[in-house]
Each structure stands twice: as structure tokens, then as C-alpha cells.
Amino acid sequence: MHNKEAQEHIIALEEQLRLAMLAADVEALDRLISPALLFTTHMGQVIGKEQDLDMHRSGLLKFTAITAAERQVVADGRLGVISARMNLVGSFGESPFNLDLRCSRTWRAPDDGGRWQILAGHMSLV
């Protein structure tokens, strides 16, 4: 996959991720997230794939709007990184949130040419 093609593929994957998060589609999220996920939340907590999926599965984390802006993507065949300013609206437990965040995610295609997945991510308040 050429760099431009990989960049476009990552943007398309990000849209799949956005829709899956809005719908709490745990099956789609499971396909998009690597078992080795290492994600740092805007609160400084480090979580893995199962913790992430459990929050969606249980309804603890609910999104009502996710908007991306200021996207920058670098990619080179099997590895890509996206940085985007994100507005996330929803609730965590009983607490509503409306957050302006900068999110970076690392996407990787496995050696066997399989499905791209999120390997790592980080969010911080803007």
C-alpha cells in the first residue's frame, strides 16, 4: 500500500471507529482494536482492549456525538498515525461530558497482510 493510499485507508478506518463508538458496536470495535492495545486516556489512565470493550458493552461509556477536525495522518504501508482534534459528547456512568481533546492513534496492519487495527492511542485535553 502506498503512503497516500494508506493515509486514505486510515481516515476510512477512523470513520468506521467513530460509527462503532456512537453505536456501541462492540463487534466492530473488537475488529478495529488490536489485542495488544495500549491506550492512555485524557485522565492519564492506561487501558487495554478488554477494558475499552467492557466500557462500551456495559453502557458505562456512551457517545452521542463525535466530531473530528484538524486531522493529520502519516503512513508508510503497514503503519500509520493520525492526530485529530476531537469533540466528544456523551456520558460516563451518570456523568455527562462534552470534551475538546487531541487524539492520536497508531494503526498497524499485521505481517500477514490482515486487517488494520489500533495498536496504541493517547488523548489529552485541548
Side-chain angles (χ1 to χ4, degrees):
M1 189 177 288
H2 298 292
N3 292 354
K4 181 69 173 164
E5 185 182 356
Q7 289 174 345
E8 291 170 357
H9 188 66
I10 289 167
I11 290 171
L13 288 167
E14 284 283 321
E15 179 61 9
Q16 290 177 35
L17 178 66
R18 186 183 78 80
L19 295 173
M21 290 168 66
L22 283 168
D25 184 343
V26 175
E27 288 182 26
L29 292 169
D30 186 42
R31 286 190 303 274
L32 292 166
I33 299 171
S34 167
L37 176 71
L38 185 64
F39 192 86
T40 304
T41 72
H42 69 289
M43 303 287 287
Q45 299 163 315
V46 178
I47 63 171
K49 179 177 181 170
E50 289 309 313
Q51 289 168 291
D52 189 319
L53 294 179
D54 285 346
M55 286 188 285
H56 290 279
R57 187 179 293 117
S58 69
L60 177 66
L61 178 60
K62 295 179 186 172
F63 291 102
T64 55
I66 300 172
T67 310
E70 300 175 20
R71 289 190 298 207
Q72 298 175 44
V73 181
V74 293
D76 70 350
R78 289 188 16 240
L79 185 68
V81 177
I82 186 166
S83 176
R85 189 165 182 168
M86 306 288 291
N87 178 249
L88 304 177
V89 180
S91 60
F92 189 82
E94 298 296 317
S95 302
F97 60 80
N98 185 340
L99 299 170
D100 188 15
L101 302 167
R102 173 66 62 180
C103 180
S104 297
R105 279 189 275 271
T106 301
W107 289 85
R108 179 179 60 91
D111 295 337
D112 64 7
R115 177 181 21 243
W116 285 68
Q117 293 184 313
I118 302 165
L119 182 62
H122 182 272
M123 288 187 160
S124 60
L125 295 172
V126 175

